[in-house]
Amino acid sequence: MSGEVTVTGFGVRTAFGTGADALRRGVFAGVPAFAPTTRFDTGPYRTPMAAAAPDGPDAVEHWALRHALAECGTQALDMAGLRPGTRAAVLLGVAGDHTSVTRYWRAAADTDTDADTDADTVTDTDTDEGADAGPTVVRAADAVPAQLAELLAVRLGLTGPRLTFTNACVASAAAIIHGCRLISSGRTDVAVCAGGYLVEEETFGKFDSGRALSRDGMVRPFSADRSGLLLGDGVAAVVLESAEHTRRRGGRPLASVVGWGAATDAHHIAQPHPEGAGLARAARQALRLAGDPDAAALDYVNAHGTGTKYNDGAETRGLRAAFPDRAESIPVSSTKSTTGHLLEAAGVVEFVITLLALTDGVLPPTAGFSAPDPECDLDYVPNRPRRADLRRALTVNAAFGGANTALVLERP
């Protein structure tokens, strides 16, 4: 690796609120954010529960995905001490802005179809400058994944290349890995890597139809009585820099990304490989790149941990395969037990959570854990946070189609 990768800033928003302290009050306290969502009519579905931010008078505008991405990106740049005009890659993991698409079609439906209007645009009161800036035009094209990266770069005033990843639940982790590769190879000095998902009816309905949603309002990863996942709001951005660039400008590194890996097992469109083969390969790649193939220096794993029957057992076996001599001594937890599944945003939000675990010296718990499962026999930090002297941590994610990612962070 020709260039060390540092993390110098982040911004994050979940159902708990904005910023690190909101995560500390929720994720690190083991307090789930699940509640009945009123964002859409949940009557037709098996459960009304999600980890969605409370609705209010400005909820639609406040939680439009492009706005949330810009807010988190601005927070990350401010923390890093970087300004508009910086040449930085903008790498995004999203499936599109479903919120804006839904609003577009509802507004279009309310428009007189006989009127002389552009079929691709609808006037709305949604703005990028706040409620007092007046009406603007909502364009359906602005909601597509590739355009969101362009919009984010423009909003942040960044002049580097832009790329969007859409590979489901590893999308934002893949964006971070690509950023690390660009920096380590000397192709860029700075990358802003972001991702977002906001709970909306289309995806909610799909997971409900697949009977993947927990019906009792709780997510219990790795527990014998786990019954499924719940969706959650999540948006985050992180600033990655070469260590030399950080030193040259007098920046402060929060952590280093010392290893990364990606692997596909292509076992099944929706189920993981039963032995966690792809996840094990991704983790081994990351550990080898970090110079620690046996995981001797690894102190914590932030697991994918969806709380579904198939994922948790396969992930446990995959972690055992990745570091067989140390699996039982390394604490593992799933923060989806509090945030819900953030889909495309899972990788970057859990990256931030893992970073906070390192800097705070606290293991976030697996909330809702109630009954050991013989298939899941590791230390899952059940229900309560745990103080620990952490230097290195691994965060892993998996996605439909057999995609897997792994990232190793190290505290300075």
Side-chain angles (χ1 to χ4, degrees), residues 325-341:
D325 296 333
R326 291 220 54 221
E328 292 182 3
S329 62
I330 299 174
V332 176
S333 67
S334 169
T335 51
K336 290 182 179 70
S337 60
T338 54
T339 65
H341 199 332

Side-chain angles (χ1 to χ4, degrees), residues 36-41 52-60 62-63 199 233:
T37 182
T38 57
R39 196 168 290 173
F40 49 86
D41 179 13
D55 289 337
D58 63 346
V60 175
H62 186 61
W63 278 97
V199 176
D233 287 341

Side-chain angles (χ1 to χ4, degrees), residues 19 84 95 184:
S184 68

Side-chain angles (χ1 to χ4, degrees), residues 351-379:
F351 182 94
V352 172
I353 292 169
T354 305
L355 172 63
L356 288 175
L358 289 174
T359 56
D360 291 358
V362 178
L363 299 175
T366 301
F369 191 93
S370 58
D373 184 338
E375 273 198 303
C376 304
D377 54 358
L378 301 180
D379 174 8

Side-chain angles (χ1 to χ4, degrees), residues 68-318:
L69 286 166
E71 179 190 47
C72 290
T74 299
Q75 292 170 3
L77 289 172
D78 287 347
M79 185 183 294
L82 295 172
R83 295 291 177 260
T86 297
R87 178 167 176 76
V90 175
L91 309 170
L92 188 57
V94 292
D97 189 345
H98 294 279
T99 307
S100 291
V101 169
T102 299
R103 297 174 65 206
Y104 166 80
W105 287 115
R106 286 176 179 168
D110 292 338
T111 302
D112 183 358
T113 55
D114 294 330
D116 184 16
T117 60
D118 184 340
D120 292 328
T121 63
V122 176
T123 301
D124 194 17
T125 56
D126 179 28
T127 75
D128 284 345
E129 304 299 332
D132 297 331
T136 60
V137 173
V138 174
R139 296 176 176 84
D142 289 347
V144 303
Q147 183 70 355
L148 284 171
E150 181 71 16
L151 292 171
L152 180 61
V154 171
R155 281 289 300 272
L156 299 180
L158 302 177
T159 62
R162 298 94 190 255
L163 185 63
T164 298
F165 294 81
T166 60
N167 45 342
C169 307
V170 300
S172 56
I176 294 171
I177 288 172
H178 191 64
C180 290
R181 288 170 172 163
L182 291 177
I183 291 169
S184 68
S185 64
R187 285 177 284 175
T188 190
D189 285 325
V190 183
V192 175
C193 306
Y197 171 73
L198 304 178
V199 176
E200 38 66 46
E201 189 169 9
E202 180 183 349
T203 305
F204 191 97
K206 289 175 180 176
F207 276 87
D208 180 81
S209 295
R211 297 185 178 273
L213 300 181
S214 170
R215 298 190 68 178
D216 63 4
M218 293 292 292
V219 178
R220 298 183 174 86
F222 305 110
S223 187
D225 57 351
R226 62 190 184 276
S227 59
L229 59 86
L230 292 170
L231 300 176
D233 287 341
V235 183
V238 296
V239 176
L240 307 181
E241 295 184 61
S242 70
E244 174 57 31
H245 187 269
T246 303
R247 284 192 292 269
R248 192 165 63 241
R249 69 176 187 85
R252 183 176 72 90
L254 306 174
S256 296
V257 188
V258 295
W260 51 86
T264 302
D265 55 49
H267 167 73
H268 189 276
I269 188 60
Q271 294 177 15
H273 189 286
E275 298 302 316
L279 185 139
R281 282 199 297 273
R284 284 195 293 263
Q285 287 177 24
L287 291 167
R288 282 197 300 269
L289 191 59
D292 185 24
D294 299 322
L298 190 61
D299 299 311
Y300 167 63
V301 177
N302 186 295
H304 190 59
T306 60
T308 58
K309 175 184 177 183
Y310 291 107
N311 176 91
D312 296 0
E315 184 168 10
T316 298
R317 289 185 286 276

